[in-house]
Amino acid sequence: MKHYDFVEWLLYKNNALPEDMHDEMQEHLSNCDICMDIFLSLIDEKEILAAEDIIQKDFNDKVINKISENKIKVLKSKDNKRAFNYQFGYYVAVAAVTIILTFSGAYTNLVDSVPKITKSMEISEVQRPNVIVNFSEKIVNSTSAFLGSIENIERNKEGK
C-alpha cells in the first residue's frame, strides 16, 4: 500500500490536486489509519470554527436518536419463531448426543479409565528421572566444589 506524505495531504486538503489523484487519495484515506493521522494533524482551529458554523448544535443528539431507533427496529424485525426453533433444535441435538454416549457406556468407561491414567502417570514419573532437578544439583555441587577449592588455595597461601 502506497502512503502519501505530509505535503501531498496538505495539497489534498487545499484542493490543489487533479481530480483523479484527489479521488484516489480520498479512497486511500478511508482505508489507511497512518495517512488518516497525518491528514487529521493538518486540521487547524480555523477549520474547526468553520465546521461549527456548518454543523447544527443538536447534530450529535439527532444521530444518537437515529441509531437508537434503528436498533429497536432491527430487534423487533427478528423472527422470534425462527430463533426459538434454532435453540430448540440445538438442545435436542445435545440431548440426543448425551443419551447416545450414556447408553454406549462412554461415560462409564471415562470414569473407569481416569484412575488408570492417573496411576500410569505416577508410574512414569517414578521411572523417569527429573533432568532439571539433576542439572540444578550438578550446578550447585560444581559451584560448591569450586568455591571450596578457592578457599583451600587461600588457606594454603596464608599457611605459608
Side-chain angles (χ1 to χ4, degrees):
M1 174 184 293
K2 177 190 182 283
H3 295 287
Y4 298 96
D5 62 12
F6 185 82
V7 175
E8 290 172 313
W9 286 116
L10 188 61
L11 293 171
Y12 171 83
K13 180 184 137 199
N14 294 327
N15 291 323
L17 295 171
E19 187 177 337
D20 59 335
M21 186 167 182
H22 187 275
D23 293 342
E24 180 182 318
M25 289 178 73
Q26 186 171 357
E27 177 69 29
H28 178 78
L29 196 60
S30 65
N31 297 324
C32 180
D33 291 336
I34 295 169
C35 291
M36 178 62 84
D37 289 340
I38 294 170
F39 178 72
L40 291 176
S41 70
L42 296 172
I43 297 174
D44 57 4
E45 188 69 27
K46 180 180 80 173
E47 290 160 332
I48 293 173
L49 293 174
E52 286 178 355
D53 293 338
I54 296 170
I55 298 173
Q56 300 172 357
K57 298 290 182 197
D58 60 344
F59 175 77
N60 288 343
D61 294 331
K62 287 181 178 178
V63 170
I64 290 172
N65 287 337
K66 289 285 185 187
I67 292 171
S68 298
E69 290 172 8
N70 286 341
K71 281 185 179 178
I72 292 170
K73 289 178 184 176
V74 168
L75 291 176
K76 287 181 179 178
S77 67
K78 282 189 175 180
D79 186 10
N80 291 335
K81 186 176 181 182
R82 180 185 245 172
F84 174 77
N85 288 341
Y86 175 76
Q87 288 178 344
F88 181 73
Y90 176 77
Y91 287 119
V92 167
V94 170
V97 169
T98 304
I99 291 169
I100 290 170
L101 290 175
T102 302
F103 285 126
S104 69
Y107 291 133
T108 306
N109 290 338
L110 183 65
V111 171
D112 292 340
S113 64
V114 169
K116 293 176 186 175
I117 293 171
T118 307
K119 192 172 186 178
S120 68
M121 289 174 57
E122 290 172 1
I123 291 171
S124 65
E125 287 179 7
V126 171
Q127 294 173 350
R128 186 178 47 187
N130 191 339
V131 177
I132 295 173
V133 172
N134 290 343
F135 184 71
S136 299
E137 286 177 14
K138 288 179 184 178
I139 291 174
V140 169
N141 292 337
S142 299
T143 306
S144 297
F146 178 70
L147 293 175
S149 66
I150 291 174
E151 288 176 1
N152 287 336
I153 293 171
E154 288 180 4
R155 284 186 197 148
N156 290 337
K157 286 183 182 178
E158 290 175 3
K160 288 184 178 181

